[in-house]
Amino acid sequence: MAFLFYLAFCVLVGGLAWRMVTYARTPAPLKIPTTPAPTTVPGVVFRMAREVLLFESLFKANLWIWGFGILFHFGLVLVLARHLRYFTDPVWGWVVLIQPFGIYGGMVMVAGLAGLWVRRLAVERIRYISTPSDHLMLLLLLTIGISGLSMTFGSHPDVVGVKRFFEGWQTFSPHPLPDSALLVLHLMGVAVLMIIFPFSKLLHAPGVFFSPSRNQVDNPRERRHMAGWAARFDKETPHG
Amino acid sequence: MKPLCLLGRILLVIGCCLVLPAGAHDAMPPLDIGQGGKCVDDPGFMRLNHMKLLLQQRDETVRLGVRGGRYSLAGCVDCHASKVNHSVLGTDRNFCQGCHTYAAVKIDCFECHSSHPRPAMESRR
């Protein structure tokens, strides 16, 4: 299991870095911010923050997806924060404080995922355009969420043992994982998620920052927009 | 995505993992278990289930008046209070606080109950 997590970690970090380099290098030859767009850089930062934190464009597009999406993502933030207790020693003060909220976050997250899946299955035209990967991704996230909640409310694993396992993992001195089928299911799910992350639709997380229609300033008259390759071409062949 | 490139990366990672040292360091967090001795149940079982046992014992005592059950908080404290500060709390080596701080799990017990051994037990030590 420790080995699987080394592998998953490397695939996640390496894969994401590779994807982001690709995104950053992709030319954006046109000035195409979706209007109305901010005309200053701080304005764009503010717009991007609204997009990333509140899913503004999704709110305007579809309230149902936005609602379930917000539930899932905000729940996930709390859940991830709660899980920091396994990776820090001593546990940070604010992580200790938000422990109970992490549990609520878990419930909210699973509710959001269930809502998103019901929508995919119940709305006929959404079902028609759903691919197996759409369904499997929700299934994977739900498996992780439900197995996690089952350990909180049903069969507790040895959390001290779990933390020792991950401390050993961080210092390259592996510890055995406590016996618990739910724990193994949970961790396998997380490892699979980490491995497929750089090759899946989950790339919307880094991708949103590279979206030209959102990250461009609306100033085409003040400053001429040139892609790098086009600028070079401009210099090499002077116009008559 | 070029498959060769991906395969190469995976092989590299597997290679790295194989040469990593595979030692194990032990006993974290280090605990002062006080007097210790034979527990009322298997320690592994107690580690996972002490909270459920204590809650059930509480309900039986409060609602049904059953006293002298097998699992009792005062019993835990009697055996496991540190001989240094006579408590199961106080430092991150103490019996209850040690693991609870380590795993960031709140202990409610001692807001009402005593974390020190009962006097009869104390004099026997």
Side-chain angles (χ1 to χ4, degrees):
Chain A
M1 186 60 90
F3 168 74
L4 179 65
F5 268 88
Y6 287 122
L7 177 69
F9 184 79
C10 293
V11 171
L12 179 71
V13 173
L16 276 184
W18 165 61
R19 282 289 192 182
M20 281 156 73
V21 167
T22 316
Y23 290 157
R25 280 193 186 156
T26 305
L30 301 176
K31 193 75 170 173
I32 47 166
T34 314
T35 53
T39 53
T40 60
V41 171
V44 165
V45 171
F46 185 60
R47 176 194 207 174
M48 196 54 118
R50 289 199 317 265
E51 185 64 33
V52 170
L53 298 175
L54 304 172
F55 315 161
E56 187 183 34
S57 64
L58 186 59
F59 179 79
K60 290 171 181 169
N62 186 314
L63 264 181
W64 279 105
I65 316 180
W66 178 83
F68 289 131
I70 282 275
L71 285 183
F72 165 66
H73 284 93
F74 279 60
L76 181 63
V77 168
L78 287 172
V79 167
L80 290 178
R82 176 172 154 93
H83 279 75
L84 281 177
R85 66 178 171 152
Y86 294 115
F87 301 94
T88 52
D89 190 55
V91 181
W92 301 331
W94 66 270
V95 176
V96 176
L97 281 180
I98 57 99
Q99 288 299 310
F101 300 102
I103 298 178
Y104 307 142
M107 301 176 196
V108 164
M109 179 185 122
V110 167
L113 285 170
L116 287 172
W117 207 3
V118 165
R119 177 185 154 274
R120 250 186 211 294
L121 294 169
V123 184
E124 212 219 322
R125 95 201 130 79
I126 308 291
R127 190 170 65 236
Y128 182 76
I129 60 167
S130 296
T131 62
S133 98
D134 293 326
H135 291 293
L136 289 175
M137 199 63 77
L138 286 166
L139 177 67
L140 176 61
L141 289 166
L142 271 171
T143 306
I144 296 171
I146 291 174
S147 61
L149 285 176
S150 312
M151 284 188 281
T152 298
F153 291 105
S155 160
H156 288 280
D158 177 4
V159 286
V160 169
V162 175
K163 179 155 179 178
R164 286 183 64 191
F165 171 80
F166 278 106
E167 274 191 339
W169 183 83
Q170 283 168 301
T171 53
F172 301 109
S173 49
H175 259 298
L177 193 68
D179 281 336
S180 162
L182 277 173
L183 180 65
V184 170
L185 178 67
H186 188 69
L187 293 181
M188 290 291 272
V190 174
V192 170
L193 182 69
M194 288 165 77
I195 290 171
I196 62 176
F197 198 101
F199 313 102
S200 68
K201 61 191 286 192
L202 301 181
L203 281 166
H204 67 269
V208 62
F209 295 98
F210 294 96
S211 163
S213 57
R214 306 254 178 268
N215 70 10
Q216 286 185 349
V217 183
D218 185 13
N219 58 357
R221 287 175 189 78
E222 291 81 358
R223 291 183 56 174
R224 187 170 172 210
H225 180 81
M226 293 284 270
W229 59 269
R232 238 174 294 129
F233 187 75
D234 217 28
K235 250 180 256 164
E236 282 162 14
T237 55
H239 302 286
Chain B
M1 173 177 55
K2 282 170 277 178
L4 250 183
C5 162
L6 178 68
L7 187 66
R9 202 159 37 210
I10 292 175
L11 285 178
L12 183 72
V13 173
I14 294 176
C16 288
C17 293
L18 288 181
V19 297
L20 290 171
H25 64 95
D26 215 40
M28 184 65 216
L31 281 186
D32 177 355
I33 65 164
Q35 180 186 317
K38 193 164 182 339
C39 193
V40 292
D41 215 320
D42 174 55
F45 175 79
M46 291 304 285
R47 218 165 278 148
L48 293 188
N49 296 299
H50 62 277
M51 60 308 244
K52 293 176 205 158
L53 299 171
L54 287 172
L55 284 178
Q56 190 182 343
Q57 183 81 44
R58 178 199 65 184
D59 291 347
E60 285 178 6
T61 306
V62 173
R63 296 184 190 152
L64 305 175
V66 178
R67 294 244 169 220
R70 190 173 176 194
Y71 309 103
S72 99
L73 179 64
C76 299
V77 175
D78 284 343
C79 287
H80 289 297
S82 159
K83 295 188 173 179
V84 181
N85 65 359
H86 308 286
S87 173
V88 288
L89 307 175
T91 72
D92 285 350
R93 292 183 63 90
N94 281 93
F95 189 71
C96 295
Q97 190 176 334
C99 289
H100 275 260
T101 304
Y102 182 66
V105 181
K106 196 170 166 234
I107 324 179
D108 291 333
C109 308
F110 303 106
E111 288 170 20
C112 303
H113 294 276
S114 171
S115 64
H116 300 285
R118 288 169 286 192
M121 202 63 189
E122 191 74 75
S123 60
R124 240 191 287 160
R125 279 140 78 92

